[in-house]
Amino acid sequence: MNRDDVLEPLLFENSKPGRADDYLPKLDVPEAPLPGEHVRDDLPLPEVSEPDVVRHFTRLSQLNFGIDTNFYPLGSCTMKYNPKINEATARLPGFAWLHPYQDESTIQGALRLMHELQEILAEIAGLPAVTLEPAAGAHGELTGMLIIRAYHVHNGDTHRKYVLVPDSAHGTNPATATMCGYEVIEIPSDERGNMDPEAIEAAVNDEVAGLMLTNPSTLGLFEEHICEITEMVHEAGGLVYCDGANMNALLGVARQGELGCDVLHYNLHKTFSTPHGGGGPGAGATAVSETLEPFLPIPVVARNADGYCFDFDRPHSIGRVRAFYGNFGNMVRGYTYIRRQGRGGLEAVSRNAVLNANYLRAKLQDTYHLPYDRSCMHEVVLSGKRQAEQGAQTLDIAKRLLDLGFHAPTIYFPLIVEEALMIEPTETESRETLDAFAEAMLEIAREAAETPEIVTEAPHNTPVSRLDEVTAARKPNLRWNSAAD
Amino acid sequence: MSYIPNTEQDQRAMLETIGVEAIEDLFDVVPEQARFPRLGLPAGMSEVEVGQLLQDMAAENVHVRQQASFLGAGVYHHYAPAVVDAILQRGEFLTAYTPYQAEVSQGTLTTIYEFQTLIATLAGMEVANASMYDGSTALAEAVLMAARITRRDKVVLSQGVHPEYCDVVRTYVQGLELPVEEVAYDATTGLTTVTDVEAALSDEPACLVVGYPNFFGGIEDLAAMAELAHEAGALLITVVNPIALGLLKPPGSLGADIVVGEGQPLGVPLQLGGPYLGMFATRKKHMRQMPGRLIGQTTDQDGRRGYVMTLQAREQHIRREKATSNICTNEALVALASTIYLATMGGSGLRRAAELCYHKAHYAADRIESLDGYELVFSTPFFHEFAVRLPAPPRDVNAALRERGMMGGYDLGRRYNGLKDAMLFCVTEMNTRDQIDDLVDALVQISIR
């Protein structure tokens, strides 16, 4: 391969034996004989000097967009600013260098933080019991649905084999239901973008374990019949799981427990601003009703006369969903953020997130099709179908935005909106940034009408042009191999 | 309030554009009885105050950089070159997300492709994914994958696999109702008992799971385990420690079908148990049954090399209820940490880290074994952990060590009835000879007392 065709050589291509620096101290004890039959004879890992390592990763970083470099309105992902103080507190040695099997008496500060975070998340959800163990949102979903299953099994109610999932749901919801052994019944949305109460009424019965909903929905809309629907599910003996992906809209606006939800997962990395890291680590704390509290995974953090402790003595627990106690480092970040914001700050978060999304809606809805003409919550879902008719698809619009210095919104999701553009500005963006983004969207619409090839051939000034995904999938190349292989 | 740039004046102008009077009007759709609850939360704090609060809470803890620690049991204290955290804090990596727009995500995509290559190489396997949440969930997903591939239900777990990993497997299989059978460790060697494995594999199992090294530090005979599993038509899943793979033969060369493990030792702080890194590698023939994200190499329209997410037809956002898993992220930043770690250490550095662990652990084991009242529980080659029978209950020994300003090992009695009087010690390159000698002196005093 020609070097000009390579943005940055791979580590393996920069490797030369003997180049790696030495970081570790000399051996200060006698050598023991190595277990000869078990010792590997080759370890073909790259050898690169430290200056080259730093340059390699720094150059690679410069090929990325992040929140720190660009507006990143990726719908449903809540790409808000990640405060630097959170990184500082998570790196305090008294948090970063705790071993999970230390004696509880030596980690009282950490346990206090976890206990307080449990209480705060319970208060926001209006659901009294919380586990911090799930490692991500989808992991919280799995935890929540296993809890619902355990509740039914505990009641001898083993014939419930269906879970209702709206057609606008994240793909994780039906995938989770399957992992829990359930069959999915899809619930259609009505013409206002709500779950259709009539469809729910027709679907609920004593074979339905529960409903997995998202509120605000992935359409960025508040479910208008939420209380009626959760009541219907409860009357049929089912439980309601709420996907908390969109909790950024509801802090101090409504408690999911008061809307009839029995389980709610949070994405600490969305709502409470822990960094997304290029795709994880997240943290998926999950809150449940009093009825479901006995089924929480072990351990939960409790408080007794001696101080804070892990409570393992929970006979009805679903068990562990993860080794140890969850993504503690992200709990420190989320807790720091919550304490910094306080009640008033968190209320302002959701109010401003919703204000910003509606502002973009107002600026764009005359040019882009608005499939559901009502106020939105923290994100607005538009359709690029007018532009598609002119020859520029939503994918093209997304790529053109990259040229103009903006990360693209989430596209082609939710599946029920044709040519969907799901835009979540978050509260941490200024009016000026929103104006610049709206202007870019309007400019692209003009281009789509007048010079569509500028849009369809985009991006023009990113590090690479459009990549061949078809060949990538047909002939998978998932690792580097030396030419000799 | 913090991190909200819009002023009241901005807000008023925006409300005018929207056509409502007040922000609260945007929430009319929320049922009135539930709208705007007054949350019982404390008021906000300045950055000075919140920094102090967290510093005070951190100071209530004792950490392994203050005191010698001999704790391992799945989580290991190693050195990470300063480069690792310096790069991790670059906002372009830290504040990006899933590389949906590949043209502006080549940094993340390239590093994950490098990660996949490094992990596959370490494991001696053909392909690795972009990572799972942690070692325990990687194992649970591997078990589900084995059941899909073999179209069988039964899961056979060695007791030499981390007990909390076994817990997680049991939780994950609840919904699908897969039967799980545990096979005992041999009381003399601490390795998985071959006769028990043969019996457990007799009725159409999907997989056999063993640790490498196992939970007690012992080096299992993987080739023999692979042969037994394959004869029974089952897959061999191994749970590995990546630092140990700097020294030990890769499981791929010994017949493993799926290799999972906790990537934390590769440059990731202990953090009381997370965020960590699930490693997941397998044979190419099984790659379409893998859970999780995969990055592949391709070219752009101008023929330049580039990277994209690939084989997404396995994943939940495409396949929904038919997906191979519900996982929708990896642990990209932690995978980046381990990639930088391996890049700076190099093959030679990893081998040296592994050898330092090995020699120091054996020095410690030899010295402890020579003490009256202490004996090694198992007679088998081990990597950097070993079980010791104590003259006093492990709780008491650890309390006495705490009084002397050090952290003892893992109390095996917590999970193993046959090991109520035993402790699992771990020694890494972070333990100096002085620390080991201090531990030995303390154990002498404890046994006399």
Side-chain angles (χ1 to χ4, degrees):
Chain A
M1 184 164 291
N2 190 330
R3 265 186 91 86
D4 294 339
D5 296 336
V6 175
L7 289 173
E8 168 67 18
L10 297 172
L11 284 170
F12 317 98
E13 295 162 340
N14 274 335
S15 171
K16 195 182 260 189
R19 253 198 190 152
D21 286 283
D22 193 7
Y23 296 89
L24 303 177
K26 293 207 165 22
L27 185 64
D28 57 358
V29 300
E31 280 195 23
L34 292 177
E37 51 168 339
H38 297 295
V39 174
R40 74 190 291 165
D41 44 25
D42 71 327
L43 185 57
L45 297 179
E47 300 271 325
V48 186
S49 73
E50 177 167 325
D52 285 341
V53 167
V54 169
R55 240 174 236 162
H56 173 70
F57 288 105
T58 303
R59 283 178 180 156
L60 284 178
S61 78
Q62 290 169 333
L63 305 176
N64 268 6
F65 276 15
I67 306 167
D68 283 0
T69 59
N70 299 76
F71 180 50
Y72 209 126
L74 192 64
S76 208
C77 299
T78 312
M79 301 301 286
K80 60 163 92 176
Y81 172 68
N82 306 135
K84 300 302 176 191
I85 181 74
N86 303 349
E87 295 307 304
T89 56
R91 284 172 172 77
L92 288 167
F95 292 133
W97 292 104
L98 300 179
H99 192 287
Y101 291 133
Q102 281 182 225
D103 192 82
E104 285 168 4
S105 67
T106 66
I107 54 169
Q108 283 296 300
L111 291 171
R112 173 155 79 94
L113 185 148
M114 293 171 81
H115 193 261
E116 288 183 13
L117 185 58
Q118 286 175 184
E119 292 190 330
I120 290 166
L121 297 178
E123 172 67 15
I124 293 170
L127 291 165
V130 171
T131 174
L132 301 173
E133 197 169 295
H139 205 210
E141 283 181 34
L142 179 67
T143 305
M145 291 308 292
L146 285 174
I147 287 171
I148 287 176
R149 182 180 177 280
Y151 165 83
H152 289 309
V153 171
H154 178 73
N155 292 337
D157 211 352
T158 50
H159 58 285
R160 293 183 185 265
K161 57 182 181 186
Y162 299 104
V163 167
L164 311 183
V165 180
D167 56 5
S168 59
H170 292 107
T172 51
N173 290 177
T176 299
T178 302
M179 282 179 87
C180 295
Y182 290 116
E183 286 177 46
V184 171
I185 297 176
E186 193 169 89
I187 299 297
S189 302
D190 68 14
E191 71 284 354
R192 283 180 60 77
N194 294 306
M195 275 183 293
D196 185 351
E198 283 176 24
I200 301 270
E201 189 166 26
V204 287
N205 56 46
D206 61 4
E207 289 198 313
V208 170
L211 163 68
M212 298 181 82
L213 64 83
T214 309
N215 191 22
S217 70
T218 64
L219 296 164
L221 302 174
F222 192 88
E223 288 290 350
E224 291 178 306
H225 312 294
I226 181 68
C227 293
E228 189 189 335
I229 285 171
T230 54
E231 206 176 307
M232 272 190 252
V233 175
H234 288 153
E235 270 174 20
L239 294 174
V240 178
Y241 162 83
C242 180
D243 181 324
N246 296 337
M247 278 301 290
N248 205 42
L250 290 192
L251 302 172
V253 169
R255 288 187 175 106
Q256 299 282 8
E258 290 173 13
L259 302 173
C261 299
D262 303 292
V263 186
L264 167 76
H265 90 254
Y266 286 95
N267 302 88
L268 294 190
H269 51 286
K270 297 180 184 177
T271 312
F272 303 113
S273 200
T274 77
H276 288 53
T286 300
V288 301
S289 65
E290 197 176 342
T291 312
L292 296 181
E293 188 268 348
F295 305 100
L296 284 176
I298 50 167
V300 294
V301 180
R303 192 174 185 179
N304 62 25
D306 298 329
Y308 298 95
C309 59
F310 290 116
D311 178 10
F312 288 92
D313 184 18
R314 305 179 60 79
H316 300 297
S317 167
I318 59 167
R320 281 182 173 281
V321 294
R322 187 191 179 288
F324 318 113
Y325 323 113
N327 283 345
F328 176 73
N330 281 353
M331 297 173 207
V332 177
R333 291 176 176 87
Y335 178 85
T336 304
Y337 176 79
I338 289 168
R339 293 304 306 268
R340 174 94 167 94
Q341 293 285 23
R343 181 175 63 83
L346 292 180
E347 286 171 359
V349 161
S350 290
R351 284 160 168 81
N352 282 278
V354 171
L355 174 69
N356 281 3
N358 278 287
Y359 182 64
L360 285 181
R361 175 182 60 82
K363 291 212 130 195
L364 296 174
Q365 74 177 82
D366 291 340
T367 306
Y368 289 87
H369 175 64
L370 179 67
Y372 303 99
D373 188 10
R374 42 187 277 213
S375 286
C376 60
M377 290 283 116
H378 63 299
E379 64 197 0
V380 57
V381 177
L382 299 172
S383 164
K385 70 177 185 182
R386 287 179 201 154
Q387 289 69 29
E389 283 161 14
Q390 296 164 334
Q393 315 285 322
T394 281
L395 180 68
D396 303 321
I397 295 169
K399 298 304 180 195
R400 185 67 182 136
L401 275 169
L402 307 179
D403 276 340
L404 302 179
F406 299 99
H407 195 281
T410 295
I411 53 174
Y412 300 110
F413 185 80
L415 305 176
I416 57 173
V417 173
E418 195 185 337
E419 299 287 325
L421 285 152
M422 185 195 216
I423 305 168
E424 181 178 12
T426 83
E427 73 283 0
T428 63
E429 300 298 335
S430 69
R431 183 178 155 209
E432 288 82 352
T433 301
L434 302 179
D435 285 341
F437 174 75
E439 186 44 50
M441 287 290 288
L442 298 177
E443 171 67 24
I444 293 170
R446 279 192 292 274
E447 290 174 348
E450 292 162 16
T451 51
E453 64 282 1
I454 292 185
V455 186
T456 56
E457 288 165 16
H460 303 276
N461 47 25
T462 48
V464 288
S465 56
R466 282 195 208 187
L467 291 147
D468 182 356
E469 295 190 8
V470 174
T471 306
R474 280 201 188 138
K475 296 181 185 166
N477 170 344
L478 306 178
R479 61 175 291 187
W480 182 84
N481 278 303
S482 68
D485 286 354
Chain B
M1 69 192 74
S2 308
Y3 323 119
I4 296 173
N6 284 330
T7 63
E8 270 180 47
Q9 199 185 352
D10 290 322
Q11 291 173 342
R12 275 198 300 277
M14 292 166 77
L15 288 167
E16 200 170 306
T17 303
I18 297 166
V20 295
E21 302 232 324
I23 294 180
E24 283 68 24
D25 297 348
L26 297 168
F27 296 96
D28 284 351
V29 65
V30 178
E32 201 171 349
Q33 75 277 9
R35 200 185 308 156
F36 302 136
R38 192 182 162 83
L39 299 178
L41 298 179
M45 303 168 95
S46 69
E47 190 168 298
V48 171
E49 290 163 316
V50 86
Q52 190 62 51
L53 170 72
L54 272 288
Q55 205 170 310
D56 292 347
M57 292 172 101
E60 290 171 29
N61 305 318
V62 180
H63 59 84
V64 303
R65 296 253 149 132
Q66 282 171 317
Q67 290 194 350
S69 160
F70 297 93
L71 280 168
V75 178
Y76 303 102
H77 182 201
H78 291 287
Y79 185 73
V83 175
V84 176
D85 198 46
I87 300 284
L88 279 193
Q89 294 204 53
R90 285 195 69 93
E92 301 94 325
F93 283 132
L94 185 72
T95 72
Y97 199 29
T98 300
Y100 294 117
Q101 298 296 334
E103 297 86 349
V104 292
S105 308
Q106 285 300 302
T108 296
L109 288 160
T110 308
T111 61
I112 297 176
Y113 181 81
E114 292 180 330
F115 171 79
Q116 290 174 179
T117 305
L118 291 165
I119 297 303
T121 304
L122 258 184
M125 300 299 278
E126 288 162 328
V127 292
N129 75 7
S131 72
M132 310 296 284
Y133 304 135
D134 77 327
S136 68
T137 55
L139 174 60
E141 292 269 16
V143 162
L144 299 181
M145 174 173 150
R148 284 195 298 276
I149 290 171
T150 59
R151 297 172 195 269
R152 293 174 172 185
D153 288 348
K154 185 180 164 184
V155 178
V156 181
L157 289 174
S158 162
Q159 278 188 350
V161 171
H162 196 303
E164 293 191 13
Y165 285 34
C166 297
D167 294 343
V168 174
V169 169
R170 288 177 189 284
T171 305
Y172 266 64
V173 302
Q174 274 167 26
L176 302 172
E177 297 179 352
L178 308 185
V180 176
E181 183 174 336
E182 282 195 9
V183 286
Y185 62 89
D186 182 280
T188 311
T189 63
L191 302 180
T192 309
T193 312
V194 173
T195 48
D196 288 9
V197 169
E198 281 170 342
L201 289 176
S202 63
D203 53 348
E204 307 237 312
C207 58
L208 167 66
V209 184
V210 296
Y212 183 71
N214 72 15
F215 186 66
F216 308 118
I219 304 170
E220 297 271 9
D221 184 352
L222 280 193
M225 293 293 149
E227 203 178 317
L228 290 173
H230 294 160
E231 274 170 16
L235 301 187
L236 177 67
I237 301 173
T238 59
V239 181
V240 300
N241 172 343
I243 299 281
L245 294 186
L247 181 65
L248 302 182
K249 281 186 181 156
S253 73
L254 301 169
D257 299 288
I258 306 175
V259 178
V260 297
E262 177 49 68
Q264 174 274 328
L266 304 173
V268 182
L270 306 179
Q271 302 173 93
L272 198 68
Y276 287 170
L277 174 68
M279 304 185 299
F280 198 113
T282 189
R283 309 263 171 213
K284 201 164 182 181
K285 65 180 174 188
H286 299 317
M287 85 189 154
R288 285 172 205 274
Q289 285 297 336
M290 280 179 109
R293 183 165 296 160
L294 287 167
I295 306 305
Q297 183 179 303
T298 188
T299 50
D300 75 357
Q301 287 174 336
D302 308 307
R304 260 174 307 205
R305 184 171 75 182
Y307 301 90
V308 291
M309 294 196 281
T310 195
L311 300 181
Q312 296 186 67
R314 303 164 295 114
E315 294 186 70
Q316 49 76 29
H317 59 288
I318 309 283
R319 291 279 279 172
R320 298 177 78 84
E321 68 271 16
K322 295 190 178 66
T324 54
S325 166
N326 76 339
I327 193 166
C328 84
T329 50
N330 54 327
E331 299 283 297
L333 195 72
V334 193
L336 175 62
S338 69
T339 304
I340 304 167
Y341 174 84
L342 288 170
T344 45
M345 298 288 283
S348 58
L350 186 69
R351 173 71 182 243
R352 230 166 79 66
E355 287 192 10
L356 285 170
C357 291
Y358 181 88
H359 294 308
K360 286 171 182 254
H362 283 74
Y363 171 75
D366 287 347
R367 288 219 54 199
I368 293 170
E369 195 184 19
S370 71
L371 304 178
D372 282 346
Y374 295 86
E375 62 173 356
L376 296 191
V377 182
F378 304 120
S379 60
T380 201
F382 62 91
F383 174 56
H384 70 346
E385 284 176 284
F386 51 94
V388 175
R389 277 198 210 285
L390 308 173
R395 275 184 73 89
D396 297 349
V397 171
N398 270 338
L401 291 173
R402 266 202 306 286
E403 281 171 25
R404 291 166 171 79
M406 62 182 92
M407 297 181 204
Y410 174 84
D411 178 353
L412 286 165
R414 283 170 68 158
R415 297 300 301 258
Y416 295 94
N417 281 331
L419 298 169
K420 288 286 180 204
D421 57 350
M423 185 180 277
L424 185 69
F425 286 97
C426 174
V427 185
T428 72
E429 81 279 11
M430 301 304 282
N431 295 107
T432 62
R433 181 178 186 144
D434 285 348
Q435 289 182 353
I436 297 167
D437 292 343
D438 287 348
L439 171 70
V440 171
D441 292 346
L443 292 177
V444 171
Q445 290 169 26
I446 291 164
S447 81
I448 292 166
R449 194 174 65 170

